[in-house]
Amino acid sequence: MPFKRYVEIGRVALVNYGKDYGKLVVIVDVVDQNRALVDAPDMVRGQMNFKRLTLTDITIDIPRVPKKKTLIEAMEKADVKNKWENSSWGRKLIVQKRRASLNDFDRFKLMLAKIKRAGVVRQELSKLKKDTSS
Amino acid sequence: MKKMELFDTLFWFYLWLQFHQYQVVGRAHPTESDEHPKIYRMKLWATNEFSDFWVLLNIFIKYFLRKLKKAKKSNSQVLTINEKNPTKIKNYGIWLRYQSCIGYHNMYKGYRDTTLNGVVKQMYTKMASRHRVRFPCIQIIKIVTIPAKLCKRDNSKQFHNSKIKFPLVVKKVRPPTRKLKTTYKASRPNLFM
């Protein structure tokens, strides 16, 4: 299978290790085979090893090493935040975060909701069973 | 103050991973015959381990000031130390002299990095891996930032492309923190990016 996601200037990547774990950053330049200069609106531009980055499908249109302001404008234009949060990957991460931050009462409510949903599903299922058997 | 003289020789300390650049300024003690001895500035790279740094600093000052400029540690003083820190990708050329088991050799190496300290670290690790040359056997003669046109090594030149684009071939699957590392996994990792 050919590759779909490339390291290129303007590629948005997710940091998957280290201090900036979970952040979306933009590859702004390539230092060498293993490292990229990486930038995000809320961090100081720095270099990161590709091992710490997972490339996403999103790219933005920026010149090589743009100013911070240009970068932020380009990110707004490409609507990176919304694209990310509506993508299935982004949504999964949001749900994971939410689940990790539940307190005991939330987990209790979750348990009741699950039971209720399971009850509804089972009712429907038994109705269908009765229809087919009768 | 008299004009400072810059040494061409630069020294590097490889005790830890992060190098900081220090400029050490020193001179011989003022004596009766020489009220204002010349002040010499030397760039040193050192880690954060200050105790070692000071020891080594003094040793190297002694070595250089003594060997090259006739000022012994007992009659020299260190004046200031300061640090330097930039952030933009640059191509560096390093001229170095290293000692192999056969003898001394000169080399020119080109690296790409954002900081001088990063290049130094790169250089030391690469010399160690490719030529088995350890830290004490390397003397750096000169480090210069080079414009992209003058880069000699293809390895650096291949990144001089404003529309650079390449895929990452293998995805390294690892847990986000070392705490979550386990010896055994339930399923094989998917290495496709």
Side-chain angles (χ1 to χ4, degrees):
Chain A
M1 255 202 304
F3 296 101
K4 294 203 202 94
R5 298 176 185 161
Y6 291 82
V7 168
E8 51 193 328
I9 293 170
R11 170 71 57 179
V12 173
L14 185 69
V15 179
N16 61 26
Y17 190 87
K19 195 167 59 102
D20 298 314
Y21 176 69
K23 267 212 195 124
L24 277 185
V25 293
V26 179
I27 293 177
V28 141
D29 200 357
V30 172
V31 178
D32 64 17
Q33 200 180 7
N34 296 319
R35 291 173 295 164
L37 243 203
V38 130
D39 208 355
D42 57 344
M43 70 181 244
V44 178
R45 173 175 300 164
Q47 63 177 357
M48 255 192 202
N49 197 316
F50 288 127
K51 290 186 181 168
R52 291 199 176 193
L53 299 175
T54 334
L55 307 179
T56 66
D57 287 322
I58 308 171
T59 49
I60 65 179
D61 186 18
I62 47 170
R64 195 178 73 93
V65 192
K67 288 208 206 330
K68 201 58 160 236
K69 212 169 56 154
T70 324
L71 177 73
I72 295 180
E73 280 171 9
M75 286 186 88
E76 296 287 314
K77 206 163 126 228
D79 209 13
V80 170
K81 194 160 180 299
N82 282 334
K83 268 204 216 150
W84 177 244
E85 284 171 5
N86 295 333
S87 69
S88 59
W89 186 359
R91 274 184 284 137
K92 271 189 265 180
L93 288 187
I94 293 175
V95 169
Q96 275 175 14
K97 228 184 258 183
R98 181 84 182 89
R99 287 201 180 138
S101 68
L102 291 178
N103 65 28
D104 189 55
F105 185 44
D106 288 331
R107 271 177 266 133
F108 179 71
K109 287 190 272 181
L110 182 67
M111 176 186 76
L112 295 183
K114 276 191 182 169
I115 292 173
K116 199 171 192 173
R117 181 179 71 171
V120 173
V121 167
R122 224 174 282 145
Q123 266 189 340
E124 292 298 312
L125 181 63
S126 59
K127 265 196 234 158
L128 286 174
K129 274 198 203 157
K130 226 199 294 186
D131 288 343
T132 51
S133 65
S134 64
Chain B
M1 284 229 190
K2 292 232 173 125
K3 183 176 78 173
M4 292 203 292
E5 226 173 86
L6 173 65
F7 280 121
D8 302 40
T9 46
L10 304 172
F11 265 177
W12 314 83
F13 285 53
Y14 187 31
L15 299 169
W16 195 246
L17 292 177
Q18 270 299 10
F19 284 94
H20 292 284
Q21 185 186 115
Y22 296 93
Q23 294 189 80
V24 181
V25 180
R27 63 169 192 179
H29 276 304
T31 59
E32 286 162 1
S33 53
D34 186 7
E35 286 290 316
H36 295 285
K38 272 225 177 99
I39 299 173
Y40 298 101
R41 175 180 64 160
M42 177 162 49
K43 283 185 188 166
L44 286 179
W45 273 259
T47 63
N48 283 322
E49 323 239 318
F50 265 94
S51 53
D52 295 303
F53 169 65
W54 276 104
V55 166
L56 292 164
L57 178 152
N58 278 311
I59 291 176
F60 283 109
I61 293 238
K62 186 170 82 168
Y63 177 76
F64 274 95
L65 284 181
R66 182 159 53 89
K67 283 259 187 304
L68 302 171
K69 291 294 163 187
K70 283 215 164 201
K72 296 208 289 198
K73 181 185 170 208
S74 56
N75 48 22
S76 58
Q77 43 183 211
V78 175
L79 297 177
T80 69
I81 299 178
N82 34 49
E83 243 194 82
K84 222 171 129 178
N85 261 311
T87 277
K88 191 181 97 163
I89 300 178
K90 296 176 270 296
N91 306 293
Y92 289 88
I94 303 185
W95 281 263
L96 47 107
R97 176 173 183 246
Y98 74 97
Q99 184 180 22
S100 69
C101 47
I102 298 171
Y104 282 91
H105 308 274
N106 296 320
M107 261 195 185
Y108 167 77
K109 295 240 158 233
Y111 295 111
R112 262 171 81 80
D113 204 310
T114 51
T115 65
L116 204 53
N117 306 338
V119 209
V120 164
K121 172 179 137 189
Q122 247 189 335
M123 189 274 300
Y124 269 109
T125 53
K126 297 234 171 103
M127 286 299 287
S129 66
R130 289 186 211 271
H131 305 280
R132 303 290 190 259
V133 182
R134 275 107 202 159
F135 162 75
C137 301
I138 295 180
Q139 294 176 12
I140 296 169
I141 302 170
K142 186 161 77 167
I143 303 186
V144 164
T145 340
I146 296 183
K149 268 194 296 193
L150 302 176
C151 275
K152 290 178 19 173
R153 307 291 179 224
D154 276 332
N155 203 9
S156 303
K157 279 163 55 171
Q158 65 181 337
F159 295 100
H160 295 157
N161 177 4
S162 63
K163 296 200 174 31
I164 192 166
K165 180 171 163 173
F166 55 89
L168 292 176
V169 179
V170 168
K171 173 171 70 170
K172 187 170 161 78
V173 180
R174 61 176 174 173
T177 55
R178 297 201 69 209
K179 263 209 176 72
L180 300 169
K181 187 169 82 150
T182 55
T183 326
Y184 301 101
K185 299 257 180 236
S187 53
R188 288 186 139 195
N190 175 21
L191 298 175
F192 183 70
M193 282 297 298

